[in-house]
Amino acid sequence: MRTVRLTAAGRAERALLDARSDELAGALLRPLHAAQRERLVAAMAEVDRLLTASTVTLDAADPDHPDARHCLRPYFAELQDLFTPASTPPAASCPTRANRGPHAACSSSRGHRANPSAAPG
């Protein structure tokens, strides 16, 4: 794996581009009153939710597959936290073919968000 970092000149150029972008966004938003800005923000959030939803797929997977276990482990940990009294010893954190069945559902995201675990609204 390679790591790429901006040089001092690159950081300066990026700062200039960010400032120009901020100026343009301000010029577009200044004419809007508060209610219009709120509507715009809500519409942008809806677009983000719809685009995120379009990147999610549900596939049947063997619960012993590493991808399925990665998806199921936090789900079962959350269920355990919600429904297990603090004094109860922990149970198995993730199902296996032996205790769950032949398939487990697992969602995946195809790169729309920086945080792929974020759920669509």
Side-chain angles (χ1 to χ4, degrees), residues 61-69 72 94-99 101-104:
D62 180 338
D64 291 326
H65 189 279
D67 291 343
R69 295 188 69 75
L72 293 170
C94 194
T96 63
R97 184 187 314 255
N99 66 10
H103 300 289

Side-chain angles (χ1 to χ4, degrees), residues 73-85:
R73 189 171 289 110
Y75 170 73
F76 281 91
E78 183 177 347
L79 288 178
Q80 183 174 340
D81 288 347
L82 289 172
F83 298 109
T84 305

Side-chain angles (χ1 to χ4, degrees), residues 1-2 14 17 37-38 51 58 83 92 101 107 110 117 119:
M1 178 166 76
R2 293 178 53 177
R14 180 176 177 178
L17 293 172
R37 288 182 190 160
E38 288 176 22
L51 289 175
L58 295 179
F83 298 109
S107 66
R110 294 192 188 137
S117 64

Side-chain angles (χ1 to χ4, degrees), residues 4-121:
V4 179
R5 292 186 177 87
L6 291 174
T7 63
R11 287 189 299 274
E13 184 68 22
R14 180 176 177 178
L16 177 63
L17 293 172
D18 285 347
R20 288 179 181 168
S21 179
D22 290 347
E23 288 172 24
L24 177 60
L28 291 170
L29 297 174
R30 266 190 293 284
L32 301 178
H33 55 73
Q36 289 173 319
R37 288 182 190 160
E38 288 176 22
R39 287 177 49 210
L40 179 60
V41 168
M44 291 170 70
E46 180 68 10
V47 167
D48 184 57
R49 281 190 297 275
L50 292 171
L51 289 175
T52 299
S54 73
T55 66
V56 174
T57 61
L58 295 179
D59 301 306
D62 180 338
D64 291 326
H65 189 279
D67 291 343
R69 295 188 69 75
H70 175 79
C71 292
L72 293 170
R73 189 171 289 110
Y75 170 73
F76 281 91
E78 183 177 347
L79 288 178
Q80 183 174 340
D81 288 347
L82 289 172
F83 298 109
T84 305
S87 62
T88 304
S93 62
C94 194
T96 63
R97 184 187 314 255
N99 66 10
R100 163 56 173 78
H103 300 289
C106 185
S107 66
S108 62
S109 178
R110 294 192 188 137
H112 169 65
R113 291 167 113 359
N115 178 2
S117 64

